[in-house]
Amino acid sequence: MPTVRVALKERSYPVFIGRGGFSDAGRILRKQRLAQYRAVIVSQKPVADLYADSLKSALLREGIEPCFFIAPYSKSSESSKSQAVFLKLIRALSSADGKGKSLFLVALGGGVVGDLTGFAASVYRRGIPYVQIPTTLTAQVDSAIGGKTSIDLPQGKNLLGAIYQPRLVLSDTSLLDSLPDRHWSDGFAEVIKYGVIKDPHLFLMLEREGLGEFRKNHRLLEKVIQRSVKIKAKLVSRDEWDKRDVRMVLNFGHTAGHAIEAASGYSGRYTHGEAVGVGMLVACDIAKALGVLKDPTLIERLEKTLLKFNLPLYTKALSTEALLRAMGYDKKTELGANRFVLPVYLGKTTIVKNIPLTVISNCLLKRKG
Ligand SMILES: NC(=O)c1ccc[n+]([C@@H]2O[C@H](COP(=O)([O-])OP(=O)(O)OC[C@H]3O[C@@H](n4cnc5c(N)ncnc54)[C@H](O)[C@@H]3O)[C@@H](O)[C@H]2O)c1
């Protein structure tokens, strides 16, 4: 199966990408010397209903006996990343523990399950192994790679977390067949981001083919996932702890994007990808206003590409004041100063600090539909 390696010395790990790898999960885990442990599979009901039985059989075939923790959620999937669910998971781990074998965790789900599982693995017994089996496109191209794990606090998203790498990532694209339409678009927002920041060829592929083609053509889908994962793996390898401004480029579109999500109260009105799509356009508009953008065609090309993936170009009914307020709390603002990843041309970005508030405000206003 095609494999991308995340090179982090003794914490290095493989990302397997391909159709059908899921049925081979037991053998893959055994090869990574995980069969000596007891597996706790963490998932959510919609995903477990679809895939838990096949995963259980795949593990049992290799003598790995799993038990399950199905993370409850109320209003939205994100509520599985609450303190209450996290503690419930930790209690479930302590009940499953001590039966002759140490535990390892398997995250079977999207980014929510991946973040929750990774964080639990990072703190339970001061760290136990975990693997990611991502079931959304967002998770396959982004959240399952790089070791950022977290849960939410009432004060904000992802406030309690750790950087803790998985032992492996198993991305089977057939798991995406059941993904609802909106989540496909959501994931492609991140793929488009990779194209703009690092990979003009990837952007060209996206510009040429629409969402429908990628959903039909498995090889093409695998190719864009692989290219995306390679970009993320390389950045993570150079800046595992997110301290050297290298990983920062991945935040292209996320400063305004997070503000859109926060200002709409994380109600799901805008998915993360939809918000990032508009956020990328806001960043382009700012780059243009500051004279940083050297390719004037980029904005129109990005708009056309976002539309091909059913992603919006404007936000509706969000006040500029609310967006600016939300940005003030953005983790990416340092000591009150703002910091944006701005495009220069396709494949090249730059980080600009202390952008005048009027420029940001005008660009947010421009994207208000
Ligand atoms: N750690 C990171 O680096 C990182 C990066 C990006 C996002 N994130 C986090 O990821 C989360 C968002 O993740 P997401 O976009 O994957 O959404 P998600 O995990 O909420 O999944 C979306 C919904 O789809 C369901 N689902 C998942 N896979 C499915 C499948 N194959 N078929 C049918 N239904 C399926 C889920 O149960 C859920 O209801 C956020 O919490 C965000 O903070 C983390």
Side-chain angles (χ1 to χ4, degrees):
M1 201 184 309
T3 308
V4 176
R5 195 152 182 83
V6 184
L8 293 166
K9 300 204 174 96
E10 67 281 6
R11 289 182 303 286
S12 299
Y13 55 95
V15 182
F16 301 107
I17 303 160
R19 205 170 169 81
F22 186 62
S23 56
D24 221 10
R27 202 183 54 81
I28 292 171
L29 295 183
R30 173 172 288 284
K31 260 186 112 175
Q32 300 294 322
R33 296 193 303 278
L34 286 163
Q36 54 182 308
Y37 296 90
R38 180 147 191 250
V40 179
I41 299 166
V42 182
S43 196
Q44 281 176 324
K45 190 167 175 351
V47 182
D49 283 351
L50 290 162
Y51 303 115
D53 285 347
S54 355
L55 182 56
K56 188 174 178 182
S57 311
L59 298 195
L60 283 175
R61 275 201 300 277
E62 292 294 325
I64 305 170
E65 199 179 326
C67 59
F68 285 86
F69 175 83
I70 306 302
Y73 68 94
S74 44
K75 292 190 303 289
S76 67
S77 165
E78 186 70 24
S79 61
S80 294
K81 270 171 68 175
S82 68
Q83 294 171 89
V85 174
F86 168 71
L87 284 175
K88 217 169 167 176
L89 169 56
I90 295 294
R91 275 188 223 111
L93 296 183
S94 56
S95 304
D97 207 352
K99 301 200 168 83
K101 279 184 175 181
S102 308
L103 300 181
F104 82 99
L105 306 188
V106 179
L108 175 68
V112 161
V113 165
D115 280 10
L116 168 74
T117 309
F119 184 56
S122 78
V123 290
Y124 186 71
R125 285 186 178 270
R126 301 192 184 94
I128 57 172
Y130 78 109
V131 307
Q132 294 266 16
I133 304 187
T135 63
T136 62
L137 182 60
T138 302
Q140 294 198 352
V141 297
D142 187 6
S143 62
I145 298 116
K148 281 196 180 175
T149 72
S150 62
I151 59 165
D152 303 333
L153 297 184
Q155 290 79 2
K157 233 170 97 82
N158 298 330
L159 286 184
L160 197 60
I163 294 185
Y164 188 67
Q165 304 296 341
R167 284 287 185 90
L168 68 94
V169 181
L170 174 56
S171 285
D172 181 339
T173 54
S174 73
L175 300 178
L176 305 179
D177 290 349
S178 53
L179 205 58
D181 293 350
R182 208 170 167 204
H183 290 292
W184 275 96
S185 301
D186 209 28
F188 266 106
E190 300 291 347
V191 180
I192 294 169
K193 176 194 78 178
Y194 288 122
V196 177
I197 62 172
K198 288 282 174 200
D199 190 343
H201 182 75
L202 173 62
F203 189 84
L204 275 171
M205 284 167 73
L206 300 166
E207 201 172 30
R208 215 170 30 228
E209 317 287 353
L211 179 56
E213 186 57 26
F214 286 100
R215 287 181 70 167
K216 274 200 317 256
N217 187 334
H218 301 143
R219 295 198 76 116
L220 203 60
L221 178 66
E222 267 174 42
K223 210 164 154 184
V224 297
I225 295 176
Q226 268 177 52
R227 288 188 91 102
S228 303
V229 170
K230 270 188 189 158
I231 294 168
K232 181 141 188 197
K234 201 166 166 189
L235 294 168
V236 169
S237 298
R238 288 173 53 211
D239 186 13
E240 180 179 11
W241 308 107
D242 201 8
K243 295 280 185 232
R244 300 173 51 205
D245 275 1
V246 174
R247 274 176 95 149
M248 173 80 190
V249 65
L250 294 166
N251 289 330
F252 172 57
H254 283 61
T255 307
H258 282 161
I260 292 165
E261 284 185 285
S264 50
Y266 295 104
S267 58
R269 179 159 169 206
Y270 293 99
T271 63
H272 179 70
E274 288 163 357
V276 166
V278 178
M280 289 193 279
L281 290 170
V282 172
C284 287
D285 293 336
I286 294 175
K288 186 178 171 192
L290 297 177
V292 167
L293 185 68
K294 301 295 176 216
D295 174 3
T297 66
L298 180 61
I299 299 182
E300 199 189 331
R301 289 176 70 189
L302 179 56
E303 284 181 337
K304 283 190 174 154
T305 308
L306 290 171
L307 287 176
K308 278 197 151 184
F309 290 87
N310 303 329
L311 290 159
L313 309 184
Y314 300 93
T315 55
K316 287 201 173 68
L318 290 178
S319 79
T320 308
E321 293 70 35
L323 291 171
L324 287 172
R325 229 185 355 263
M327 270 182 199
Y329 293 103
D330 193 323
K331 279 181 295 170
K332 283 173 286 306
T333 51
E334 260 183 359
L335 304 171
N338 62 58
R339 236 168 151 223
F340 275 78
V341 179
L342 300 182
V344 180
Y345 48 80
L346 208 50
K348 167 102 180 124
T349 57
T350 183
I351 296 170
V352 180
K353 294 183 186 172
N354 300 325
I355 297 170
L357 210 57
T358 49
V359 174
I360 301 173
S361 172
N362 286 341
C363 293
L364 288 171
L365 202 59
K366 193 176 158 198
R367 290 291 158 189
K368 197 171 156 189

